[in-house]
Amino acid sequence: MKLLHPWREMLNLGLTTWPETAQDARSDCHAWSASPNFEIFRTVLGIDSAAPQFARVRIRPFLGELKEASGSIPHPAGDISVRLKRVGASG
């Protein structure tokens, strides 16, 4: 979650996509600007493909410092949903 700092700064500047340079007020449509959207589902919630074309799904969440997280992604066989809540001490 700490790695999201550059994206949070972009939002604070009113940008919705990654700028060409840090000083640019212009926000261009770079596909990798959306990488946190994908990475939250894959890394934090742990939803990942375990076979070509998502024929099998692997769920291996990593909450890090988060206490809870939830989300779902569409899949041809139905939504894949994950809801996590840390119980007890972490460590």
Side-chain angles (χ1 to χ4, degrees):
M1 296 306 288
K2 293 176 185 176
L3 296 175
L4 291 176
H5 179 73
W7 281 268
R8 287 188 188 105
E9 288 301 313
M10 286 189 324
L11 292 173
N12 289 338
L13 295 172
L15 302 175
T16 56
T17 60
W18 204 262
E20 285 294 323
T21 66
Q23 294 77 31
D24 240 343
R26 188 178 92 194
S27 182
D28 291 322
C29 292
H30 293 294
W32 47 272
S33 294
S35 64
N37 296 328
F38 173 76
E39 289 300 331
I40 292 289
F41 287 98
R42 190 175 69 78
T43 306
V44 176
L45 295 178
I47 303 171
D48 204 358
S49 177
Q53 301 178 358
F54 249 85
R56 286 191 334 236
V57 177
R58 176 181 302 127
I59 309 290
R60 289 189 306 182
F62 178 75
L63 281 175
E65 296 178 6
L66 295 175
K67 293 182 180 167
E68 58 185 280
S70 64
S72 62
I73 61 170
H75 186 277
D79 289 349
I80 301 169
S81 299
V82 174
R83 171 173 245 135
L84 306 163
K85 186 170 185 175
R86 188 184 311 274
V87 177
S90 63

